[in-house]
Every structure is written in C-alpha cells, then in structure tokens.
Amino acid sequence: MLHSRKLVYINEIVRCGSIRKAAARLNVASSAVNRQILALEEELGAPIFERLPKGLRLTAAGELCVEHIRDVLKNYERLEGRIRGLKTPQAGKVSLVTTVGLASGPLPEILAGFVAAHPRVQIKLRNDGGSTTINPVLTGEVDLGLGFNIPATPGIRTLANFDVPVGVVLPPGHRLAGEAGPVDLVEVVQEPLILAQSGTSLRNIIDLALAPLPLLVEPVVETNSSELMKQLVKAGTGLTMLNPLDAVAECRRGELIFRPLTEAHVRHQPMKLFARARAPLDSATSLFVEYLMQEMLLLVQDLKARGHIPETIRGQA
C-alpha cells in the first residue's frame, strides 16, 4: 500500500499520545517515527501535531489528516478481507465495541456460536462505557457498536433498535424471588438498593421510574459497574435494577433472579446496533450483523417466554 508505513506510524502516535510509546508498540526507533511525521508535515505544508511537554496534540490540520488516514487504513483492511475471501470463503475480520454489561452478559454465548459456525472470521471485541461507545465507530477504529441509550448522531447509521425494559434483580431465596409475574416498585424500594451511579444513562431511567413514588429512595451503594451490582446482590447486600440482558448469564445459571416491574412503573432502556454512516459493511461484518440480529431476536423471545420481559418489547432492524 502506498505510504503504508507513514499512515500506520501517524495513526499509532495518535492512539498512544507520544512518539516514544508509538515507537515501542511498533518496535521501531523513535527517530524513524519522528521522520515520518516531519515528512508528512512537509508534504502537507502544515504541522499535524502540536509539541507539548507531556506529548503531542493534533492540530486542526492533523484532525483532518487522521480522519483520512483511518479511512485509508480501514478501506485497505476491507480490501485484504475481500481478497482473502476469494481464497477462503467467509474469511475476514469484525471489530465491535460494546458495554461491559453486554460483553459479560449475552455476547459470550453469541460470539462462541458465531466463531464455531465461521471459524475463518476473526472477532475483535472491546468494552467501553456508555456514551464513549459512539467514538470508536465514528473514528473508524471499529466496524460496529452495540450499546444502550445511544443518541442520534451525525455520521452514525442505525442497523437495529431494541427497547429493553429495566427490572429488579434479586438473589434466589429472596421474598420477592418466588412470586410469578411483575413486581410492584413500591415493594422493591422497601429493600436496600444497589443502583447505577447518578448521572449515568441507566440511573436516569431508574430515577424516572422512582420519581412518582411518594418517598425518597437512597441506595446503600452507587456504582457505574454492573458487574459489582450483580456481585453485591449475590452477597445479599441488596437488590438492584438492570435490564434482563445484563443479568441473563447469571439468571440462566440460577445465581440471580430477574423480575419485570408492573406496567405502571416499567421504563425501557433503548439498545442500538450501529455503524459508521459512510462506511459500507464488508462481507464478514454483514455476516456477523445477520447472525447477531438472529440471536438477539431469539434471546428476546426466550426472555418473553420466561416472563422476564413483557410482550410489548420492541425490536426492529
């Protein structure tokens, strides 16, 4: 690829924030990396980095340059995948960013099934938090994003939407665990609560559900870690409120119980599968999207059958 070394070097500097760290990751001398920067700046007739005491920062010209570099690198990666596909059908790479809850919930089983069915496709999965799930997709670092409460964003196209209701997660043997059907939120708030941290998208949804209640709700623990919430529920510290996808693995193993809220109190957490608007999906990524959608729809049907979510849940491509 023309100028491939230069493009890779610049992209790695942006990722690492310094020439020294980029050189270490690339296993080359810092002087070689610096020469590539100077050569590109000379070609462009403008500096692409501002030299700071603690590293480098992109200039306005550098921001435009890096956007172009990532487009070129991503397109070249797609070209490589298509050429590999000519030799070995269904070969390629798929990169996905998602939340910690989904990565530890339904995705392991889905990914395992996909890899078993398509062993020539390599999956790259990274965990991210809430709103930052958008950024790696926008910048072209990954092909797909899967997350909750993703706002409409220029440069992002939606591949699928699901509205998933938030409910209560309890330990087996709890007084509310043995009953069937939805649980009233008034009963839930009489127990110690472990809730998502204030200001997070999940907590905003929970606060909307709690707002009509004629009492002040003070959680015993607040955290931005869904994994910690589930561990504390298992330990008997209190109850938490999550969507059923975040606790599906533990519920299937019998470690936790999920119960939906009554219709008067139910609130939905919108889940979105999305990609960059200007980037067409290659064959491997399209194959993965189709498989993921099928598995998510089957999972939703299973959750409905178990009574974990009402029939009103929405999922659409």
Side-chain angles (χ1 to χ4, degrees):
M1 180 175 58
L2 187 62
H3 302 312
S4 61
R5 182 179 299 177
K6 190 179 300 181
L7 299 185
V8 170
Y9 283 12
I10 299 298
N11 187 52
E12 196 61 45
I13 292 168
V14 175
R15 288 169 58 89
C16 296
S18 77
I19 293 176
R20 181 181 58 79
K21 291 179 182 178
R25 285 179 61 91
L26 294 165
N27 197 28
V28 297
S30 296
S31 58
V33 176
N34 191 52
R35 281 197 299 272
Q36 296 297 334
I37 298 176
L38 297 175
L40 183 57
E41 289 179 330
E42 184 176 351
E43 286 182 28
L44 296 173
I48 59 174
F49 287 108
E50 181 182 355
R51 274 69 173 176
L52 302 173
K54 293 186 178 180
L56 301 177
R57 183 169 61 195
L58 285 170
T59 62
E63 294 279 0
L64 295 174
C65 182
V66 169
E67 182 181 357
H68 170 72
I69 285 172
R70 286 179 172 167
D71 281 341
V72 170
L73 293 176
K74 185 57 91 173
N75 286 334
Y76 184 71
E77 188 174 296
R78 290 193 187 97
L79 174 62
E80 287 183 313
R82 293 174 68 181
I83 292 173
R84 283 195 302 269
L86 295 174
K87 302 174 183 177
T88 54
Q90 296 184 353
K93 296 180 181 179
V94 179
S95 53
L96 170 70
V97 61
T98 190
T99 64
V100 174
L102 288 171
S104 62
L107 280 180
E109 184 174 338
I110 292 174
L111 292 181
F114 180 82
V115 171
H118 307 284
R120 294 190 180 94
V121 179
Q122 180 186 4
I123 304 292
K124 295 183 178 180
L125 175 67
R126 59 183 273 186
N127 299 335
D128 224 327
S131 61
T132 56
T133 304
I134 299 174
N135 297 331
V137 179
L138 276 173
T139 59
E141 294 178 57
V142 298
D143 302 311
L144 303 169
L146 180 67
F148 294 102
N149 308 293
I150 304 297
T153 305
I156 289 293
R157 62 187 171 108
T158 300
L159 303 177
N161 277 314
F162 291 91
D163 285 339
V164 187
V166 172
V168 59
V169 178
L170 332 97
H174 190 274
R175 68 179 184 86
L176 297 176
E179 302 177 23
V183 62
D184 195 299
L185 189 58
V186 174
E187 291 190 81
V188 174
V189 298
Q190 295 176 29
E191 302 287 331
L193 291 180
I194 303 145
L195 297 182
Q197 188 171 304
S198 294
T200 60
S201 58
L202 175 58
R203 181 58 181 274
N204 291 340
I205 292 170
I206 293 171
D207 287 344
L208 285 174
L210 296 174
L213 299 183
L215 68 164
L216 180 65
V217 176
E218 292 285 352
V220 294
V221 177
E222 290 184 84
T223 175
N224 63 353
S225 168
S226 59
E227 188 61 34
L228 178 58
M229 293 183 219
K230 292 183 288 186
Q231 291 297 331
L232 289 173
V233 173
K234 291 179 189 178
T237 306
L239 312 183
T240 192
M241 295 176 69
L242 294 168
N243 72 66
L245 298 178
D246 281 338
V248 65
E250 291 83 0
C251 289
R252 285 176 171 173
R253 294 194 296 264
E255 299 169 357
L256 293 172
I257 304 293
F258 179 91
R259 289 192 63 192
L261 298 174
T262 54
E263 193 63 34
H265 297 121
V266 69
R267 294 293 184 275
H268 291 82
Q269 193 173 17
M271 182 175 68
K272 180 182 291 188
L273 176 65
F274 56 96
R276 197 159 57 130
R278 294 183 298 167
L281 302 181
D282 60 23
S283 58
T285 305
S286 297
L287 191 67
F288 177 76
V289 168
E290 182 180 354
Y291 185 90
L292 178 62
M293 282 300 304
Q294 290 174 348
E295 291 300 309
M296 291 302 297
L297 288 172
L298 289 173
L299 178 58
V300 166
Q301 292 171 7
D302 179 57
L303 292 172
K304 285 179 181 178
R306 292 169 180 264
H308 288 174
I309 57 178
E311 290 294 328
T312 53
I313 186 172
R314 179 175 64 89
Q316 68 178 48

